[in-house]
Amino acid sequence: MAHDAEQYIKDIQREYVDFLDDEEDQGIYAGHVKDMIAEKSKRLVVNINDLKRKNQQRALGLLSNASDEQLAFGRALKEYVSTIDPSYAKLHEDFFVGFEGCFGNRHVTPRSLTSIYLGNLVCVEGIVTRVSLIHPKIVRSVHYCPATKKVLERKYTDLTSFEAVPSSAVYPTKDDDGNLLETEFGLSVYKDHQRLTIQEMPEKAPAGQLPRAVDIICDDDLVDRCKPGDRVQIVGNYRCLPGKHGGYTSGTFRTVLLANNISLLSKESNLDISREDIMLCKKLAKNNDIYELLSKSLAPSIHGHAYVKQAILCLLLGGVEKLLPNGTRLRGDINILLIGDPSVAKSQLLRYVLNTAPRAIPTTGRGSSGVGLTAAVTTDQDTGERRLEAGAMVLADRGVVCIDEFDKMSDIDRTAIHEVMEQGRVTISKAGIHASLNARCSVLAAANPVYGRYDQYKTPMENIGLQDSLLSRFDLLFVMLDVIDSDVDQMISDHVVRMHRYRNPKEADGEPITMGSSYADSMSFVSHTDEKKDTQLYEKYDALLHGKSRKRHEKILSVEFMRKYIHIAKCMKPKLTEQACEAIANEYSRLRSQEAVDSDVARTQPITARTLETLIRLSTAHARARMSKTVTMDDAHAAIELVQFAYFKKVLEKERTGKRRRAAGASSDEEDPRDDPNAATEHSPSRRSKRTRHEPEEEELEEEEEEIETPQPDAGDLTRRETRRSLPLRTESVEMTSTPSATLTSITDARLVVFKNALQRLFRDAREQSLPLRRITAAINEQSAEPFAEGEIEAAMHRMTEDNQIMLADDIVFLI
């Protein structure tokens, strides 16, 4: 009987070899096998539709009698590999086959996986809820007997192997004569083994019923292919494992799925960025109003909130993280808190971020504890060991955590996220486990004021009701008020009614509306190497949907394109320019001094040293939106404007002409009725003029910069071609930027050497590190035969500052 079964496997193995050896036909799988060898892989993915076309009997056999067929297919693959590359075939004991394609009625969910599918090849989809640790599983052990000088070898198979009869699990310690054996661990063969649990998707579960789960066993290269929270499709062999009690099997069996292919259905894996997309993003980034266009395209279904949308755009782009040589980390993540009356679309903004950000984890205030947000110590079901379970913030590493109903969290739980928001890590010391986990995520939180609604007669700090230590960790805090204004209310009501009137043109009458994601409804398992469809750049204007709220010529970017643009822009690492540094430092010192003088001014959060970092992060995010390599004065002013609005509800007026500025003014007027009655008044004219003094020449520089900058997020020939084209422009810009220094009186090189020597002597004689410029001028002119003119000294100082030899500040020269 065993001989017949072995003969049957050999017969079908020959058929599978014929299927793989298709060089006379199209050479598809022959090419795939060669690619597999080149990638040093052991698994070949076969589309079941191709097998149906070529050998229908084998395809049906594979679906109904999976164990024998998979065993034969694996052996056939090894046989075919040995004909192409014999040395590679000898290196690996086993080769594996994964499947994809259309599974028909065998495409199931954990709920519909019943006993009729036992022994079949099925495709199951769901959400990964638990992932065990990876354990080594022994495949072959080698033992040496010192007494007889013989080597003993033993193979191990269990109920999860494709071999028909499982071997005994007893590990040999003595040979037949009773001599002791030593295990040769270096010659033994092990494989990785991991167990997952996948649960039915919430949108697929029937109303009012708990979702069901199924256990998956992953071996070899399939381990660590997914993490908890991922939506996956898994193809595998469904089989039962008998459970023994006192030598007898009980009537009920445990079932598992032996996986052979895993595909992620998450947003991240679907993000295919082509070279055309990158070129399109670069072209779009050269528009002067790209920042306004991006922020307007954020949640277009929500009316108003222009500044809040700009801040959320900055959060999605993020600042640049800095790791200093001494090990200090300066975070680049931007945290935002939205506090406001009920029904001002706070949760809708959070929902939009969840759909746009590449990795976003949603939680609510009451539904999550401090441990659930950071990390918990749990007991492993298989081994009984203590292990760490990652919380929401650890799962959202390099992503966004959206916390709704933030005010409903208890104070103890809220303090758990203090460390995460500033240091970007979670430190655990519990149950003998000391660990530090990365949680470098941005936090977007929404909360209601203390009294449910915002009380106009109390200060913003009293309304918010959170401690300063937490508020200072939020970069921006917006107070969103529900202000009664007949004109604004009319616009909002028109906008909302149009949203409710809209129906998808593809929707038929009486058709049930699907909840949640659309990828769960695809009934075939196909890898993502298929044809990529072009991403639509702009959303089409719909007269019924948009009406007066949006003009026909106004452009709104589509969600898919926004996702790609943000992904590409995050590759940029802009550097701060000197003018931007100066503007940010001046604004910070002004804010601090203003807090000391006008202590009665209503503000939403304390002004601390973190405010300075906030300004830097926001200006960097603004530069990223423009895909620029440098942070200019314009970016610094945009950051200052956001901070002024978030802290004091101030809308800064800009004294610039031009359509774009007028449009921005109009949008800020729209926000203006929401101003806090306790907020401070506008800046005094002198202050405003001081801030806008250098802007015209800065604008010219920025235009030049926009022509030059072509960011390089992708590698390859594209980048080289771009930089080559931009070289002549770069030299022009250098000439332009160096013009201010040309206005100084020049100094000859010979005179500069005389000046440097005299200055060095003066510092040596005085034995000081810093001297006033007046004293230096007088001393050098006394010693030299030809006195230096004031312009010459200025030029010499400028040249030495450029060469990093001295530093001039407040007419005092410091020796570097």
Side-chain angles (χ1 to χ4, degrees), residues 429-447:
S429 295
K430 296 177 185 172
I433 293 176
H434 305 283
S436 183
L437 307 173
N438 280 333
R440 297 155 295 189
C441 56
S442 303
V443 176
L444 177 60

Short mmCIF file of all heavy atoms in Angstrom, two decimals, residues 429-447:
data_model
loop_
_atom_site.label_atom_id
_atom_site.label_comp_id
_atom_site.label_asym_id
_atom_site.label_seq_id
_atom_site.Cartn_x
_atom_site.Cartn_y
_atom_site.Cartn_z
N SER A 429 10.19 48.01 32.93
CA SER A 429 10.90 47.23 33.95
C SER A 429 9.85 46.52 34.79
O SER A 429 9.42 47.02 35.82
CB SER A 429 11.75 48.14 34.83
OG SER A 429 12.77 48.73 34.08
N LYS A 430 9.40 45.37 34.29
CA LYS A 430 8.35 44.62 34.98
C LYS A 430 8.66 43.13 34.89
O LYS A 430 9.16 42.67 33.86
CB LYS A 430 6.98 44.83 34.30
CG LYS A 430 6.43 46.23 34.33
CD LYS A 430 5.14 46.27 33.56
CE LYS A 430 4.61 47.68 33.45
NZ LYS A 430 3.48 47.78 32.55
N ALA A 431 8.30 42.40 35.90
CA ALA A 431 8.36 40.93 35.91
C ALA A 431 9.68 40.40 35.38
O ALA A 431 9.73 39.46 34.60
CB ALA A 431 7.20 40.36 35.07
N GLY A 432 10.78 41.04 35.78
CA GLY A 432 12.10 40.57 35.37
C GLY A 432 12.46 40.90 33.93
O GLY A 432 13.48 40.45 33.43
N ILE A 433 11.61 41.70 33.27
CA ILE A 433 11.92 42.10 31.89
C ILE A 433 12.33 43.57 31.90
O ILE A 433 11.59 44.42 32.40
CB ILE A 433 10.70 41.92 30.97
CG1 ILE A 433 10.38 40.44 30.83
CG2 ILE A 433 10.93 42.55 29.60
CD1 ILE A 433 9.13 40.13 30.03
N HIS A 434 13.51 43.87 31.40
CA HIS A 434 13.97 45.26 31.27
C HIS A 434 14.19 45.50 29.78
O HIS A 434 15.08 44.90 29.19
CB HIS A 434 15.27 45.49 32.04
CG HIS A 434 15.15 45.12 33.48
ND1 HIS A 434 14.50 45.91 34.39
CD2 HIS A 434 15.56 44.01 34.16
CE1 HIS A 434 14.53 45.31 35.57
NE2 HIS A 434 15.16 44.15 35.45
N ALA A 435 13.35 46.34 29.21
CA ALA A 435 13.45 46.54 27.76
C ALA A 435 13.13 47.96 27.39
O ALA A 435 12.45 48.67 28.12
CB ALA A 435 12.49 45.59 27.04
N SER A 436 13.66 48.38 26.26
CA SER A 436 13.36 49.70 25.71
C SER A 436 12.86 49.50 24.28
O SER A 436 13.57 48.93 23.46
CB SER A 436 14.64 50.54 25.72
OG SER A 436 14.35 51.83 25.25
N LEU A 437 11.64 49.91 24.02
CA LEU A 437 11.03 49.70 22.71
C LEU A 437 10.91 51.03 21.98
O LEU A 437 10.59 52.05 22.59
CB LEU A 437 9.62 49.09 22.85
CG LEU A 437 9.51 47.84 23.70
CD1 LEU A 437 8.05 47.47 23.89
CD2 LEU A 437 10.24 46.69 23.06
N ASN A 438 11.11 51.03 20.68
CA ASN A 438 10.97 52.25 19.88
C ASN A 438 9.50 52.58 19.68
O ASN A 438 8.70 51.70 19.33
CB ASN A 438 11.63 52.08 18.51
CG ASN A 438 13.12 52.27 18.59
OD1 ASN A 438 13.61 52.98 19.46
ND2 ASN A 438 13.85 51.65 17.69
N ALA A 439 9.15 53.85 19.86
CA ALA A 439 7.78 54.31 19.61
C ALA A 439 7.86 55.73 19.05
O ALA A 439 7.33 56.67 19.63
CB ALA A 439 6.96 54.27 20.89
N ARG A 440 8.58 55.86 17.90
CA ARG A 440 8.81 57.20 17.34
C ARG A 440 7.60 57.58 16.50
O ARG A 440 7.62 57.48 15.28
CB ARG A 440 10.07 57.19 16.49
CG ARG A 440 11.32 56.86 17.29
CD ARG A 440 12.40 56.27 16.44
NE ARG A 440 12.01 54.97 15.90
CZ ARG A 440 12.81 54.15 15.26
NH1 ARG A 440 14.05 54.48 15.07
NH2 ARG A 440 12.39 53.00 14.78
N CYS A 441 6.52 57.98 17.18
CA CYS A 441 5.29 58.28 16.45
C CYS A 441 4.78 59.68 16.76
O CYS A 441 5.06 60.23 17.82
CB CYS A 441 4.21 57.25 16.81
SG CYS A 441 3.89 57.17 18.56
N SER A 442 4.03 60.23 15.82
CA SER A 442 3.35 61.51 16.05
C SER A 442 2.03 61.22 16.74
O SER A 442 1.42 60.18 16.48
CB SER A 442 3.08 62.21 14.72
OG SER A 442 4.27 62.40 14.02
N VAL A 443 1.58 62.14 17.58
CA VAL A 443 0.31 61.96 18.29
C VAL A 443 -0.66 63.04 17.82
O VAL A 443 -0.35 64.23 17.87
CB VAL A 443 0.51 62.05 19.82
CG1 VAL A 443 -0.83 61.96 20.54
CG2 VAL A 443 1.44 60.96 20.30
N LEU A 444 -1.82 62.61 17.35
CA LEU A 444 -2.90 63.54 17.00
C LEU A 444 -4.06 63.22 17.92
O LEU A 444 -4.65 62.14 17.83
CB LEU A 444 -3.30 63.36 15.53
CG LEU A 444 -4.46 64.21 15.04
CD1 LEU A 444 -4.16 65.68 15.18
CD2 LEU A 444 -4.80 63.90 13.59
N ALA A 445 -4.34 64.12 18.86
CA ALA A 445 -5.37 63.84 19.87
C ALA A 445 -6.51 64.84 19.74
O ALA A 445 -6.29 66.00 19.37
CB ALA A 445 -4.75 63.93 21.26
N ALA A 446 -7.71 64.39 20.05
CA ALA A 446 -8.89 65.28 20.04
C ALA A 446 -9.57 65.17 21.39
O ALA A 446 -9.70 64.08 21.95
CB ALA A 446 -9.84 64.86 18.92
N ALA A 447 -9.99 66.31 21.93
CA ALA A 447 -10.61 66.32 23.27
C ALA A 447 -11.67 67.40 23.35
O ALA A 447 -11.67 68.35 22.56
CB ALA A 447 -9.53 66.56 24.32
#
